[in-house]
């Protein structure tokens, strides 16, 4: 049997859980995509722009790159989470309780203190860019010559639970396949599942987000899943044999 195309994989997974949003594919390139739109022009939050694409409110592709004359996103750590620069030392204070060096910036209180913040970020390891640009597009527009690194799914809690169960169908590890990691929503969606973070386990699924700032744009009933491409392929191959196809 021939290997499923990316479109077929996405179609299989979407149909299996009755997904009513579009899945978003992520890949890297050293060139801007033809007819692409800079994500910042859609939203100052890259993750929010991807959600609008998934809801079919904007068309793709979207791209983001680190260029001196163009903003990347609204977050101090944004370019670092995509491997374009090192993490700004001030980020340690911003994510915890603040300091004098952060005049004009409101601390996030997401970490106990700067020491915990720094050690957590160090645990991620080196972040390597996918290319000069990270590109996000609806999977229905993807051709198989593109080296898609991961799929991003916006779904209800029930749909995410079913996708998690499907991922476990052909896996013999009860604990290591799915993670709810710390980090910004863009890391859950892109950095970790796309294999950009040195210490992110390969082929692991990431669910979230754990970043509370997403409440500004993400409906409270919605969750996000970032699926490495090889894992997504296995899930699609198993969908027809799993409980999802055997429901009465």
């Amino acid at each position: 049997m021939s290997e499923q195309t990316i479109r077929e994989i996405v179609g299989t997974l979407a149909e299996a859980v009755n997904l009513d949003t579009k899945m978003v594919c992520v890949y890297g390139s050293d060139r801007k995509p033809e007819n692409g739109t800079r994500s910042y022009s859609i939203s100052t939050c890259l993750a929010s722009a991807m959600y609008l694409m998934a809801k079919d409110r904007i068309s793709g592709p979207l791209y983001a790159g680190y260029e001196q004359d163009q903003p990347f996103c609204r977050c101090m750590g944004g370019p670092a989470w995509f491997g374009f620069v090192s993490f700004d030392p001030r980020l340690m204070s911003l994510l915890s309780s603040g300091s004098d060096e952060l005049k004009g910036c409101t601390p996030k209180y997401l970490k106990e203190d700067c020491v915990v913040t720094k050690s957590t970020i160090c645990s991620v390891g080196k972040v390597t860019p996918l290319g000069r640009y990270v590109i996000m597009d609806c999977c229905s527009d993807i051709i198989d010559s593109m080296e898609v690194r991961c799929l991003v799914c916006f779904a209800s809690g029930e749909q995410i639970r079913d996708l998690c169960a499907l991922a476990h169908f052909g896996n013999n590890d009860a604990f290591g396949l799915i993670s709810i990691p710390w980090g910004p929503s863009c890391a859950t969606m892109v950095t970790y599942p796309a294999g950009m973070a040195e210490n992110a386990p390969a082929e692991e699924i990431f669910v979230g987000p754990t970043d509370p700032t997403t409440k500004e744009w993400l409906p409270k009933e919605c969750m996000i899943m970032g699926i490495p491409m090889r894992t997504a392929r296995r899930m699609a191959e198993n969908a027809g044999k799993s409980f999802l196809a055997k429901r009465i």
Side-chain angles (χ1 to χ4, degrees):
M1 183 173 65
S2 61
E3 196 172 71
Q4 285 187 315
T5 66
I6 293 173
R7 292 185 187 183
E8 289 170 339
I9 291 169
V10 170
T12 297
L13 296 179
E15 183 179 358
V17 296
N18 297 316
L19 196 65
D20 57 4
T21 56
K22 292 185 175 182
M23 283 194 179
V24 178
C25 289
V26 178
Y27 62 100
S29 177
D30 290 329
R31 299 172 58 185
K32 296 178 183 178
E34 186 176 349
N35 300 319
T37 303
R38 183 176 291 276
S39 64
Y40 191 87
S41 69
I42 301 298
S43 172
T44 58
C45 173
L46 184 146
S48 172
M50 292 176 69
Y51 175 69
L52 293 175
M53 177 183 290
K55 292 291 288 183
D56 206 20
R57 295 176 186 169
I58 60 171
S59 58
L62 297 176
Y63 68 90
Y66 188 65
E67 298 172 313
Q68 294 297 328
D69 60 338
Q70 297 286 345
F72 185 84
C73 71
R74 69 187 182 191
C75 297
M76 182 185 294
W81 282 109
F82 284 79
F84 294 119
V85 298
S86 300
F87 285 99
D88 190 321
R90 296 176 299 164
L91 186 63
M92 313 310 159
S93 298
L94 178 66
L95 293 176
S96 54
S97 56
S99 69
D100 292 339
E101 64 183 354
L102 282 173
K103 293 179 179 179
C105 295
T106 303
K108 304 292 186 181
Y109 298 100
L110 295 174
K111 283 290 182 178
E112 183 177 8
D113 54 40
C114 292
V115 175
V116 174
T117 308
K118 184 176 181 179
S119 62
T120 305
I121 289 178
C122 287
S123 73
V124 172
K126 181 181 179 181
V127 180
T128 303
L130 294 179
R132 186 176 179 185
Y133 301 100
V134 58
I135 303 172
M136 302 138 283
D137 203 357
C138 286
C139 297
S140 57
D141 297 329
I142 293 293
I143 57 176
D144 279 315
S145 61
M146 298 173 178
E147 189 179 349
V148 173
R149 300 291 290 270
C150 68
L151 308 180
V152 182
C153 175
F154 296 86
S156 69
E158 179 181 14
Q159 291 166 325
I160 293 294
R161 290 197 304 269
D162 281 351
L163 287 171
C164 287
L166 174 59
H168 278 297
F169 180 81
N171 188 274
N172 58 8
D173 183 352
F175 300 106
L177 181 63
I178 300 168
S179 172
I180 301 179
W182 177 85
S185 54
C186 59
T188 303
M189 298 159 63
V190 178
T191 309
Y192 301 152
M196 299 165 67
E198 179 182 14
N199 295 330
E203 302 184 28
E204 187 164 296
I205 292 171
F206 298 95
V207 175
T210 58
D211 179 0
T213 64
T214 55
K215 66 179 63 175
E216 299 173 9
W217 53 268
L218 188 68
K220 62 182 180 180
E221 69 276 6
C222 186
M223 296 183 71
I224 299 171
M225 174 181 275
I227 315 173
M229 198 61 232
R230 288 184 64 180
T231 303
R233 189 176 297 280
R234 286 198 299 269
M235 291 168 64
E237 290 171 351
N238 287 330
K241 299 178 289 184
S242 76
F243 69 102
L244 291 171
K246 308 300 181 182
R247 287 174 169 166
I248 298 175

